[in-house]
Amino acid sequence: MADPEIKSYEPLHESRSAAVTESRPVRIALTIVTLVFLGVFLLLPLIIVFKEAFAKGVGAYFQSLGDADTRSAIRLTLLVAAASVPLNLVFGISAAWAIAKFEFKGKAFLTTLIDLPFSVSPVISGLVYVLLFGAQGLLGAWLKAHGIQILFAVPGIVLATMFVTFPFVARELIPLMQEQGNGDEEAALSLGASGWQAFWYVTLPNIKWGLLYGVLLCNARAMGEFGAVSVVSGHIRGLTNTMPLHVEILYNEYNAVGAFAVASLLAGLALVTLVLKTLLEMRYGAELAATRGH
Amino acid sequence: MEVRVVNVRKEFERFPALHDVSLDIRSGELIALLGPSGSGKTTLLRLIAGLERPTKGAIFFGEEDASQKSIQERNVGFVFQHYALFRHMTVADNIGFGLKVRHGAARPPAQEIRRRALELLDLVQLSGLEKRYPAQLSGGQRQRVALARAMAIEPKVLLLDEPFGALDAQVRRELRRWLREIHDRTGHTTVFVTHDQEEALELADRVVVMSQGRIEQVGTADDIYDTPNSPFVYSFIGESSSLPVKVENGEVWIADRPIGLQAPHAPSGEAVLHFRPHDVDLVDGCSGCIAGTVAASRRVAGTRRVELEVGGERQRVEIELPVDHPAAQKSRVAFRPRRWKLFPAG
């Protein structure tokens, strides 16, 4: 077992290792291709979003954000995220716990099932809910009889978002928990801890960084989801429009400043998520390296 | 606390890991479960701890049937092979964990927990490291913290799974002596699992030799080494040589010659002779001895090991010779085992 404190570093004589055999022009060409690609496909769109949003000045930007429908879309998006992220957090932890720490029949099937939302087009996910809860759907008549509105209302949007963001937390935790094994929990139990205490004092601290990382990704996706939500929302302005849907509506109405202003918020969210994710990776990586080998 | 394992059987998905095992562990005893991997020694330890439930049979702590109790209720101190220290807690918090998770009146105040932790840290000779995290400790230090943590709950029994398995030889020898001292001082009934016979024989009051889910022999180091009761124990503990022989009228024969060993109680027929390579008398001339041709010879530390070809079927057998013995290649050597045992053939 290597002591993490005693590490020797090879002195870096050359910035280029012997494994690089390409000639100088080739290296430069490859680098340029990569940079151009990144610039055109990632950086440029981001700049355009902000440029268009502020095209008519800062006043117009904030005015369009202050629009009642826009504010309602922001509220709804926050509400959907606030509902679906905690639910997925609970689901993700329990699923990862079950898969990583126990042996049972159908484990492989459950693992595949968790991945399903990743492999299925979000539009299909939305359609499933239409077929299930729609007026002609499986449960449609029953829901109508009891006066419960799911489709074209907030519950439908939350459900669709939850479905799409299902795998994020669980996927993040399963490999981590599998690597950590059952040893720490068994130790806690042998010391007299209840199952809940073992989870709270031992399991949760062991997975906290991975968990935070998963929640962050889950949140970004929950706020940005378009396809599935679009199918179940019904696009009722001020009622069932989330931010991504509202962007589309505004854009189709040739309200470029409005559309890009909302888009800039989403882009800003994505940037914040990326920065947090990078910070977490730095932190989380150091923690993993320090605790590895137990 | 006295621990009794009574007719315990354990199956994992119908694959038996332990067959009908019974064992009495005396109060205050330091006992080793010794066996090759897959012999069921760790399974037996985990059954005593309550980390597994027996398929059949029962485990008693004193007069109490513990087999239906959960691991929390059994109050055992378990030291895991890879220590399983809580990596996000300091050494002091690790040791105090078992006291912290107690409920209500059973939980000592925070200051008392800390005092206990420091006291135990002193016992395991790690004073001053209470603020460190497990990642900042060496393997041997982690091992000591794991032991202190297990002892903090004042366990009825202390169970150690391959306690020195992950350490290098030097540290292992040191910790072995140290564990013996701690045991003598605290008097906990202690069971440890090991695959290292030297460790088991040196450290334990009694050794339980296990093989293929069964207990082969239980005894002191002397019992186990000097009077092994099965071919497995003979070959697993220490060095041993074996030869196929025949018993006729209480005399042991190899091929058509008696070898000068009397076995009045052995049934006539095929048998296998076991003895220690170093426990032989060299004899001159051969009337009643085992004679063979030297096939190979190698120097092992202070002695010389030679392989002899014996009898018409050229059975190979190893014995130990003094370094200055003139036995060279192809010369003939005659010997008689000093201590030996016969087991039925097959």
Side-chain angles (χ1 to χ4, degrees):
Chain A
M1 199 178 317
D3 194 327
E5 285 171 334
I6 310 165
K7 252 186 220 156
S8 67
Y9 292 97
E10 287 284 307
L12 222 60
H13 293 302
E14 272 188 341
S15 60
R16 195 153 57 82
S17 81
V20 179
T21 54
E22 286 76 15
S23 67
R24 200 176 174 82
V26 173
R27 291 209 311 272
I28 292 171
L30 283 173
T31 311
I32 288 176
V33 166
T34 311
L35 287 179
V36 167
F37 190 87
L38 280 175
V40 170
F41 285 92
L42 290 174
L43 203 59
L44 206 60
L46 202 59
I47 294 169
I48 288 175
V49 165
F50 284 94
K51 184 180 159 280
E52 288 292 327
F54 289 100
K56 291 185 180 156
V58 180
Y61 176 81
F62 282 108
Q63 200 183 352
S64 58
L65 283 186
D67 176 66
D69 287 348
T70 304
R71 276 189 308 175
S72 140
I74 295 173
R75 263 201 307 278
L76 181 59
T77 293
L78 291 178
L79 176 72
V80 168
S84 56
V85 172
L87 285 171
N88 268 336
L89 175 80
V90 172
F91 164 77
I93 294 178
S94 19
W97 169 274
I99 286 172
K101 310 270 177 181
F102 298 96
E103 288 301 326
F104 54 90
K105 280 208 177 94
K107 187 164 150 171
F109 180 68
L110 181 60
T111 316
T112 317
L113 209 61
I114 288 173
D115 273 344
L116 190 68
F118 272 169
S119 50
V120 147
S121 159
V123 177
I124 309 293
S125 321
L127 271 177
V128 170
Y129 285 103
V130 172
L131 293 174
L132 209 57
F133 301 123
Q136 267 73 49
L138 212 54
L139 303 173
W142 188 88
L143 289 171
K144 197 167 181 191
H146 289 78
I148 302 169
Q149 175 102 33
I150 290 184
L151 219 53
F152 311 130
V154 176
I157 298 174
V158 171
L159 282 174
T161 308
M162 272 182 65
F163 180 85
V164 174
T165 54
F166 228 37
F168 283 97
V169 176
R171 270 280 122 202
E172 198 58 46
L173 294 184
I174 289 167
L176 186 64
M177 286 171 111
Q178 268 170 343
E179 191 199 298
Q180 289 174 350
N182 285 338
D184 285 13
E185 283 78 14
E186 285 184 343
L189 297 181
S190 79
L191 291 167
S194 65
W196 177 247
Q197 283 175 320
F199 175 76
W200 191 252
Y201 290 124
V202 175
T203 311
L204 210 52
N206 275 348
I207 59 169
K208 63 184 172 199
W209 295 114
L211 185 61
L212 202 53
Y213 186 81
V215 164
L216 216 57
L217 290 180
C218 179
N219 181 56
R221 182 63 189 265
M223 290 189 171
E225 176 54 27
F226 180 86
V229 170
S230 172
V231 176
V232 297
S233 122
H235 304 265
I236 307 165
R237 291 182 82 144
L239 277 180
T240 63
N241 255 355
T242 60
M243 282 164 76
L245 300 184
H246 197 57
V247 171
E248 192 204 21
I249 287 178
L250 292 173
Y251 189 76
N252 287 343
E253 289 170 349
Y254 302 103
N255 181 355
V257 171
F260 281 106
V262 179
S264 73
L265 289 184
L266 282 173
L269 169 78
L271 287 178
V272 168
T273 306
L274 271 181
V275 169
L276 282 177
K277 174 174 164 292
T278 313
L279 287 177
L280 268 182
E281 264 169 1
M282 285 158 65
R283 174 67 211 270
Y284 176 44
E287 177 134 325
L288 265 187
T291 51
R292 188 143 293 170
H294 264 272
Chain B
M1 175 70 55
E2 186 180 88
V3 177
R4 276 188 305 137
V5 177
V6 184
N7 300 109
V8 161
R9 182 182 174 81
K10 176 66 185 174
E11 290 172 10
F12 290 108
E13 283 164 20
R14 306 201 147 239
F15 173 77
L18 283 180
H19 311 263
D20 199 33
V21 164
S22 294
L23 177 65
D24 285 357
I25 299 167
R26 297 170 199 145
S27 189
E29 186 173 39
L30 180 56
I31 197 163
L33 305 180
L34 173 66
S37 51
S39 58
K41 53 192 192 304
T42 297
T43 303
L44 180 55
L45 193 78
R46 290 172 63 89
L47 280 163
I48 296 173
L51 286 165
E52 310 281 355
R53 293 279 166 105
T55 310
K56 252 191 237 160
I59 290 161
F60 291 89
F61 282 16
E63 291 306 308
E64 223 178 338
D65 185 356
S67 23
Q68 294 314 313
K69 285 188 170 182
S70 69
I71 178 164
Q72 291 100 330
E73 294 165 322
R74 289 194 199 188
N75 194 29
V76 295
F78 201 103
V79 177
F80 291 82
Q81 187 175 1
H82 299 290
Y83 323 131
L85 295 178
F86 308 132
R87 61 201 85 183
H88 58 280
M89 292 183 201
T90 62
V91 165
D93 288 343
N94 262 287
I95 298 175
F97 183 83
L99 300 173
K100 191 181 120 185
V101 294
R102 284 188 185 167
H103 290 288
R107 179 164 75 183
Q111 222 156 15
E112 169 65 15
I113 294 178
R114 194 172 162 72
R115 198 190 57 76
R116 268 301 277 145
L118 292 181
E119 204 177 276
L120 280 160
L121 210 53
D122 196 41
L123 178 72
V124 299
Q125 299 162 5
L126 288 179
S127 304
L129 296 189
E130 66 270 11
K131 290 202 181 100
R132 294 268 190 100
Y133 284 89
Q136 298 167 313
L137 301 177
S138 72
Q141 290 171 330
R142 286 179 200 171
Q143 175 65 64
R144 289 162 188 240
V145 173
L147 186 67
R149 183 177 71 176
M151 288 195 299
I153 60 169
E154 282 149 13
K156 292 178 184 153
V157 191
L158 206 51
L159 305 169
L160 300 94
D161 187 8
E162 297 272 4
F164 313 118
L167 303 170
D168 57 54
Q170 179 82 30
V171 180
R172 204 184 302 184
R173 268 193 297 276
E174 250 169 58
L175 277 184
R176 213 188 278 169
R177 215 166 305 138
W178 167 83
L179 180 65
R180 182 76 231 188
E181 278 172 31
I182 293 248
H183 175 264
D184 292 345
R185 209 171 334 154
T186 58
H188 281 121
T189 306
T190 306
V191 185
F192 73 98
V193 158
T194 181
H195 62 264
D196 181 345
Q197 47 169 300
E198 199 188 308
E199 197 167 286
L201 295 175
E202 185 187 322
L203 189 54
D205 296 323
R206 284 195 305 157
V207 177
V208 179
V209 184
M210 298 185 66
S211 164
Q212 299 183 337
R214 291 190 171 82
I215 291 180
E216 293 278 340
Q217 189 170 1
V218 183
T220 63
D222 289 344
D223 293 341
I224 298 278
Y225 192 83
D226 294 337
T227 50
N229 67 358
S230 71
F232 172 80
V233 178
Y234 228 120
S235 54
F236 185 67
I237 307 288
E239 309 250 359
S240 78
S241 290
S242 63
L243 269 176
V245 295
K246 219 164 47 202
V247 182
E248 255 169 51
N249 302 325
E251 255 201 299
V252 183
W253 293 60
I254 288 180
D256 52 353
R257 307 166 49 149
I259 56 173
L261 303 178
Q262 311 298 323
H265 303 298
S268 292
E270 304 279 309
V272 181
L273 175 74
H274 285 261
F275 60 93
R276 306 280 183 205
H278 62 86
D279 214 4
V280 297
D281 286 320
L282 296 175
V283 289
D284 295 325
C286 199
S287 55
C289 66
I290 304 172
T293 319
V294 175
S297 143
R298 62 199 153 86
R299 174 73 187 254
V300 179
T303 62
R304 195 181 295 283
R305 282 288 166 82
V306 295
E307 251 177 67
L308 300 181
E309 280 179 350
V310 175
E313 283 161 45
R314 304 198 164 279
Q315 284 290 338
R316 287 206 168 196
V317 62
E318 211 175 58
I319 64 167
E320 218 168 87
L321 295 179
V323 175
D324 51 5
H325 195 274
Q329 291 283 342
K330 296 284 173 203
S331 70
R332 283 186 72 77
V333 175
F335 72 95
R336 198 179 295 132
R338 225 175 288 154
R339 237 184 308 201
W340 47 274
K341 196 154 180 173
L342 285 177
F343 293 103

